[in-house]
């Protein structure tokens, strides 16, 4: 029993963080993560608390990878993988899985042998401007990008699933029912920004 003294579950950890528990009282505590794995509370360089876990590779199931997960989706989730040095968002474990370096490199090689790599565009959180309604300004975000020399708006529309249909939180005639645009393939893939799910749309300046 002594080994379990001080162990928390992720819900208790979230509650203690929200209650303003001093960091010094939380760092080093053991946390039961989603009833499967046990991790340790650490403080990232950004000052944010995270749970350090050693998760098995979803592909080979033998090698493990250390990840640092932070909260922000809903109480007790701790699903966002963060870079321990920069605090940058790396993955969302609700929609993605952990792969060891060997399997990840193998998968990348296989994918690139079939098709050329896809250019990646990273948008820092500070570059988004809130354009939603007064009651929820973050329901819509706007950023500016340039593709092949063309200036474009990149709009992020917050969404949720209602009755198995993906709907925009700030509904209008163009995005009130996003699922209609995605048929028959289903809802659009979402992107996590500041802890919320958004569908992205880019269009050139008028």
């Amino acid at each position: 029993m002594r080994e379990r003294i001080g162990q928390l579950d992720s819900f208790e950890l979230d509650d203690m963080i929200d209650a303003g528990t001093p960091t010094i009282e939380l760092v080093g505590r053991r946390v039961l993560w989603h009833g499967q794995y046990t991790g340790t509370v650490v403080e990232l360089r950004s000052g944010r608390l995270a749970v350090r876990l050693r998760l098995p590779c979803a592909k080979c199931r033998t090698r493990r990878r250390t990840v640092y997960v932070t909260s922000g989706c809903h109480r007790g989730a701790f699903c966002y993988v963060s870079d321990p040095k920069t605090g940058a968002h790396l993955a969302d474990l609700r929609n993605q899985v952990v792969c060891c370096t060997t399997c990840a490199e193998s998968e990348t090689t296989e994918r690139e042998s079939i098709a050329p790599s896809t250019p990646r565009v990273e948008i820092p959180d500070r570059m988004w401007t809130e354009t939603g309604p007064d009651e929820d300004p973050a329901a819509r975000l706007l950023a500016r990008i340039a593709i092949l020399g063309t200036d474009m708006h990149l709009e992020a529309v917050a969404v949720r699933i209602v009755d198995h249909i993906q709907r925009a939180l700030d509904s209008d005639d163009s995005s009130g029912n996003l699922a209609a645009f995605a048929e028959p393939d289903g809802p659009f893939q979402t992107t996590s920004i500041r802890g919320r799910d958004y569908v992205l749309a880019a269009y050139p300046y008028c």
Side-chain angles (χ1 to χ4, degrees):
M1 290 296 293
R2 286 189 177 183
E3 294 181 358
R4 296 186 61 83
I5 291 177
Q7 179 169 287
L8 308 169
D9 62 33
S10 57
F11 295 93
E12 292 171 327
L13 177 58
D14 247 347
D15 289 343
M16 294 178 74
I17 292 174
D18 289 343
T21 304
T23 297
I24 194 172
E25 295 183 16
L26 296 175
V27 171
R29 297 282 293 271
R30 302 288 284 170
V31 177
L32 183 62
W33 186 75
H34 291 261
Q36 293 180 292
Y37 306 101
T38 300
T40 303
V41 179
V42 298
E43 183 178 11
L44 304 181
R45 287 188 182 181
S46 62
R48 191 170 187 185
L49 292 179
V51 178
R52 183 180 62 216
L53 297 162
R54 289 279 292 168
L55 298 181
C57 171
K59 193 169 184 179
C60 69
R61 304 301 301 177
T62 56
R63 290 178 289 268
R64 288 178 176 263
R65 188 166 187 171
T66 299
V67 296
Y68 297 79
V69 291
T70 59
S71 185
C73 170
H74 55 76
R75 178 175 171 267
F78 284 87
C79 58
Y80 296 119
V81 179
S82 297
D83 186 304
K85 295 181 179 179
T86 66
H89 173 81
L90 299 178
D92 179 355
L93 294 184
R94 293 173 302 164
N95 305 308
Q96 298 168 284
V97 295
V98 172
C99 281
C100 67
T101 303
T102 301
C103 289
E105 291 176 350
S106 172
E107 182 177 346
T108 299
T109 301
E110 292 171 1
R111 184 168 59 248
E112 290 180 347
S113 66
I114 298 173
S117 60
T118 302
R120 295 180 61 86
V121 178
E122 299 292 339
I123 309 294
D125 283 355
R126 67 179 183 279
M127 301 301 294
W128 291 104
T129 299
E130 296 181 351
T131 60
D134 292 340
E135 61 271 20
D136 188 8
R140 282 178 179 266
L141 305 175
L142 191 66
R144 175 178 172 174
I145 60 175
I147 300 177
L148 297 176
T150 299
D151 289 329
M152 304 187 73
H153 293 290
L154 179 62
E155 188 171 21
V157 181
V159 295
R160 63 180 175 181
I161 301 297
V162 179
D163 295 330
H164 306 290
I165 296 176
Q166 187 182 72
R167 299 183 184 277
L169 299 186
D170 174 31
S171 199
D172 64 15
D173 57 358
S174 66
S175 58
N177 186 348
L178 292 172
F181 295 105
E183 294 295 343
D185 299 322
F188 288 114
Q189 180 178 342
T190 59
T191 300
S192 176
I193 304 173
R194 301 173 183 171
R196 296 181 70 172
D197 288 334
Y198 292 86
V199 167
L200 302 183
Y203 48 92
Y205 282 17
C206 295

